[in-house]
Amino acid sequence: DTEVTQTPKHLVMGMTNKKSLKCEQHMGHRAMYWYKQKAKKPPELMFVYSYEKLSINESVPSRFSPECPNSSLLNLHLHALQPEDSALYLCASSHSGGGLGEQFFGPGTRLTVL
Amino acid sequence: GIQVEQSPPDLILQEGANSTLRCNFSDSVNNLQWFHQNPWGQLINLFYIPSGTKQNGRLSATTVATERYSLLYISSSQTTDSGVYFCATGGGADGLTFGKGTHLIIQP
């Protein structure tokens, strides 16, 4: 099984809302990733968790807050987002965070911020 | 960081045609992946190919690591092959670095 699941598939939120995106994998992978993809652009890395420890991407605004409750789950908490944060948010996992190994992506959450 | 360039950026073909997509990278790599992104946004793994040649049905890929490029071949194209094809490399704490993609349209 090479499946990464994400919920919800679509999310519409106002700028004052708090919401969370969820990602799950059961492949025993120890590295998990959040990417952001704007229309007609490639995915860009936001955060990496390796063995449940966070590697921070300093260019990500603090209104995005990742959480890794255990090795199978990854959350992205959203608060006070801006309309320009509207994008496709992709979760991925790989066997380890050591730089090798295939990454597998979930179907994404399409986020619209009003 | 590593730079990844893909060509061509856009490609329109008739059903049944063959195509070659190219990915150049600026430094040596330990991993290289090809993805197909469908119209719903799902990134589908095509190949994990740090070096050598692999085939899967109508698709095949070759990576020549010493010359810093990879090629994706699509034969006998079908309309369902339409979408964006990305190559990507890297991984670990830096995540994957993607090329800008090749937007492929297969016309019936």
Side-chain angles (χ1 to χ4, degrees), chain A residues 27-80:
Chain A
M27 295 178 277
H29 288 173
R30 301 310 301 271
M32 296 185 76
Y33 310 80
W34 281 115
Y35 291 82
K36 174 182 178 179
Q37 186 178 20
K38 300 284 281 184
K40 300 189 185 301
K41 298 287 188 182
E44 293 182 341
L45 182 71
M46 299 178 73
F47 302 105
V48 179
Y49 274 86
S50 179
Y51 294 90
E52 292 119 73
K53 292 185 178 179
L54 176 64
S55 299
I56 299 175
N57 184 318
E58 296 181 354
S59 64
V60 180
S62 59
R63 56 186 183 268
F64 295 92
S65 175
E67 178 195 20
C68 189
N70 60 55
S71 61
S72 300
L73 292 173
L74 187 65
N75 298 322
L76 186 63
H77 302 298
L78 315 173
H79 174 55

